[in-house]
Amino acid sequence: MAALDRLTECLSKLPGIGRRSAERMAVRLVAEPDGVLRELRAALDEAAATVRCCARCGGITTADRDPCRLCSSGDRADGTLCIVEQPNDILLIERSGGYRGRYHALHGKISPGRGEGPDALRIETLLRRVRAEGFTEAILALSTDMEGEATAGYLAELLRKEGLRVSRLAHGLPAGSGIVYSDPVTLARAIQGRVEA
Amino acid sequence: MAALDRLTECLSKLPGIGRRSAERMAVRLVAEPDGVLRELRAALDEAAATVRCCARCGGITTADRDPCRLCSSGDRADGTLCIVEQPNDILLIERSGGYRGRYHALHGKISPGRGEGPDALRIETLLRRVRAEGFTEAILALSTDMEGEATAGYLAELLRKEGLRVSRLAHGLPAGSGIVYSDPVTLARAIQGRVEA
């Protein structure tokens, strides 16, 4: 069943999808060739035709709007740049309502294990923007895993050399949770980063 | 971003995929329109053209082989029918090496919460097969969650009326789970130790 294997292989390349989930998805798709498979093909065609990544920030935009709404808005704070890994991180931060500046999506993180160094990321574009758009502060909103930490360390050094103030998201307890649910590393960081009550 | 929303919506219909995973997958796809998106479209086209569900057992087969390899093989025990929910459950049981009879995939389970009664399943085909192919034993290899138990209870009654001996997989499967999460050894033992339903 080579075609099923290829579909499984392809789905398992998507973020968060392991081999067995991919197989389950593939089988569901072929079990309903006139249902969800046809629907997915149409949705992919439509998305390929109309959705793009913004050439400036790397976030999601439509084919007829590049730079994107967030890059071209006159209503955002110009001095601050929030750097994220993936385009959908921008959507999540926008929904939080906690940020009003500009964005830059790297499309990945430094991952020596998978042979992905800084060259695979949108860092050249980042430096070009930093020089052209006059940012004074960069916020690194990256993963707190080892690869995210390595990427943050690399970028912090690079951006400080460009004269920017560089900060990172606070580590701490999630809202609506208690210390009983927290792991030791998070807890240690929350104590370190304590704020006046 | 209507196209992105539709793609997300479509992916979230696949088994095991929640809203946020679907969004992450959709964004990754549109972020690489010439990479993984194009690849997935090609894989879907190929699968749609070449992969089918076997009209007899409901398992996966190729367009040029219906009934499937397992249904048409002379090398399988003819008296025993193993009834599963999804086509990929057949692949998992085959990999376990613990079973040599025939299969029947229901393509679902009774799920009153989602408005899916017995009519939505391949039960009519099942009864036709039971009468035509002379099975003497049915093994119900269904999920151990409430919907799977309800389906098993319903089928056990139905199949006993047809004169079949009906058994279910032995415990070994964790409660509230399905065979899709089980490893081959556990699965083989569960088949061996099946008990009267």
Side-chain angles (χ1 to χ4, degrees):
Chain A
M1 224 78 74
L4 189 68
D5 290 343
R6 268 191 291 276
L7 182 56
T8 300
E9 169 71 21
C10 186
L11 289 166
S12 68
K13 288 181 188 170
L14 295 174
I17 306 301
R19 179 85 199 167
R20 196 176 277 199
S21 311
E23 183 173 278
R24 240 175 118 199
M25 291 164 68
V27 166
R28 175 67 57 89
L29 284 164
V30 299
E32 288 182 49
D34 294 324
V36 67
L37 190 147
R38 176 173 294 186
E39 223 178 291
L40 179 57
R41 282 168 70 193
L44 287 171
D45 285 346
E46 192 197 0
T50 64
V51 184
R52 290 282 178 284
C53 281
C54 173
R56 191 176 298 175
C57 74
I60 297 298
T61 189
T62 48
D64 56 358
R65 184 174 238 171
D66 192 358
C68 72
R69 189 179 55 78
L70 291 168
C71 282
S72 52
S73 165
D75 201 30
R76 310 283 303 194
D78 268 326
T80 312
L81 184 66
C82 180
I83 300 171
V84 299
E85 287 167 16
Q86 296 298 341
N88 51 322
D89 296 335
I90 297 176
L91 304 178
L92 297 173
I93 294 178
E94 279 299 289
R95 272 177 217 155
S96 82
Y99 182 68
R100 297 292 303 157
R102 308 289 180 183
Y103 289 100
H104 191 83
L106 298 169
H107 289 190
K109 51 188 169 183
I110 297 175
S111 179
R114 278 176 295 165
E116 284 169 20
D119 296 346
L121 307 179
R122 299 179 67 250
I123 291 179
E124 212 170 313
T125 326
L126 171 64
L127 290 178
R128 224 180 306 130
R129 289 188 68 192
V130 162
R131 287 161 195 168
E133 296 178 48
F135 295 110
T136 55
E137 184 184 356
I139 301 175
L140 302 173
L142 306 175
S143 304
T144 54
D145 57 12
M146 255 179 49
E147 298 168 342
E149 301 278 347
T151 311
Y154 179 86
L155 288 179
E157 200 184 316
L158 212 63
L159 293 168
R160 283 210 185 89
K161 272 191 202 146
E162 298 288 327
L164 271 72
R165 204 162 67 251
V166 183
S167 61
R168 292 165 63 173
L169 292 193
H171 292 307
L173 302 184
S177 182
I179 68 172
V180 75
Y181 302 112
S182 173
D183 64 277
V185 177
T186 304
L187 202 48
R189 284 184 180 163
I191 292 169
Q192 240 168 37
R194 66 192 179 274
V195 291
E196 195 92 88
Chain B
M1 222 80 75
L4 188 68
D5 290 344
R6 269 191 290 276
L7 182 55
T8 300
E9 170 73 21
C10 185
L11 289 166
S12 69
K13 287 181 187 168
L14 295 173
I17 306 300
R19 179 86 200 170
R20 196 176 278 200
S21 313
E23 183 174 277
R24 240 174 116 200
M25 292 164 69
V27 166
R28 174 67 57 90
L29 285 163
V30 298
E32 288 183 48
D34 294 324
V36 67
L37 189 149
R38 176 174 294 185
E39 224 179 290
L40 179 56
R41 282 168 70 193
L44 286 171
D45 284 347
E46 191 196 0
T50 63
V51 185
R52 290 281 177 282
C53 280
C54 171
R56 191 177 298 175
C57 75
I60 297 297
T61 188
T62 48
D64 55 359
R65 183 174 239 171
D66 191 358
C68 71
R69 188 179 56 79
L70 291 168
C71 282
S72 52
S73 164
D75 200 30
R76 310 283 303 195
D78 268 326
T80 312
L81 183 67
C82 179
I83 300 171
V84 298
E85 289 167 16
Q86 297 297 340
N88 53 321
D89 295 337
I90 297 176
L91 304 178
L92 297 172
I93 293 177
E94 280 299 289
R95 272 177 216 154
S96 84
Y99 181 69
R100 296 292 305 157
R102 307 289 179 184
Y103 288 101
H104 191 83
L106 298 169
H107 289 190
K109 51 189 168 181
I110 296 174
S111 179
R114 280 176 295 165
E116 284 168 21
D119 296 346
L121 307 179
R122 300 180 67 249
I123 291 179
E124 211 170 314
T125 326
L126 172 64
L127 290 178
R128 223 179 307 128
R129 288 188 68 191
V130 162
R131 286 161 196 167
E133 297 178 48
F135 295 109
T136 56
E137 184 185 357
I139 301 175
L140 302 173
L142 307 176
S143 301
T144 54
D145 58 13
M146 256 179 50
E147 298 168 343
E149 300 279 348
T151 311
Y154 179 87
L155 288 179
E157 201 184 315
L158 212 64
L159 294 168
R160 283 210 185 87
K161 274 191 202 147
E162 299 288 327
L164 272 72
R165 203 162 68 254
V166 182
S167 61
R168 292 165 65 172
L169 293 193
H171 277 79
L173 297 189
S177 183
I179 70 170
V180 75
Y181 302 111
S182 171
D183 67 280
V185 177
T186 306
L187 202 48
R189 284 183 183 156
I191 291 169
Q192 243 165 34
R194 64 190 181 271
V195 293
E196 194 94 301

